[in-house]
Amino acid sequence: MVSCFSLLCSMDKDSQDVHQVLNELKTKFQEMRKLISSMPGISVSPEQQQQQLQNLREQVRTKNELLQKYKSLCMFEIPKE
């Protein structure tokens, strides 16, 4: 597979092909920028992401503790497979 860079280097710098390849690359970069900016969480800083992750882990830990507590109370039967 030939990379765009090597393709551009091998072409005549003033040819129409070079301009076409450059325009295609420009379009791809614009599409990727748009895609990246629309990704969920992209506007959240790494510190905020770490805080969210810590909060979610704490929620999971609390829910697991509650689940274990309710299991030990035998308030309901858990079907065994």
Side-chain angles (χ1 to χ4, degrees), residues 19-33:
H19 293 289
Q20 180 181 348
V21 171
L22 287 174
N23 283 333
E24 289 172 6
L25 281 173
K26 181 180 176 183
T27 302
K28 285 183 182 181
F29 274 111
Q30 289 171 340
E31 291 170 358
M32 290 303 108
R33 283 187 187 111

Side-chain angles (χ1 to χ4, degrees), residues 6 23 32-33 42 44-45 47 50-51 59 63 70 72 74-75 78 80:
S6 62
N23 283 333
M32 290 303 108
R33 283 187 187 111
I42 197 73
V44 180
S45 73
E47 293 80 17
Q50 286 296 325
Q51 184 62 46
Q59 288 178 19
K63 289 178 182 181
Y70 289 132
S72 70
C74 295
M75 295 182 71
I78 301 172
K80 295 187 178 185

Side-chain angles (χ1 to χ4, degrees), residues 15-77:
S15 75
Q16 186 63 30
D17 293 336
V18 170
H19 293 289
Q20 180 181 348
V21 171
L22 287 174
N23 283 333
E24 289 172 6
L25 281 173
K26 181 180 176 183
T27 302
K28 285 183 182 181
F29 274 111
Q30 289 171 340
E31 291 170 358
M32 290 303 108
R33 283 187 187 111
K34 184 177 180 181
L35 181 65
I36 289 170
S37 66
S38 68
M39 291 175 73
I42 197 73
S43 62
V44 180
S45 73
E47 293 80 17
Q48 291 171 318
Q49 290 177 19
Q50 286 296 325
Q51 184 62 46
Q52 289 174 352
L53 182 60
Q54 184 178 353
N55 291 342
L56 291 171
R57 284 183 174 151
E58 181 64 26
Q59 288 178 19
V60 168
R61 187 187 63 75
T62 302
K63 289 178 182 181
N64 279 331
E65 287 174 358
L66 286 171
L67 183 60
Q68 292 303 315
K69 178 182 175 182
Y70 289 132
K71 280 182 180 179
S72 70
L73 293 175
C74 295
M75 295 182 71
F76 56 88
E77 271 192 44

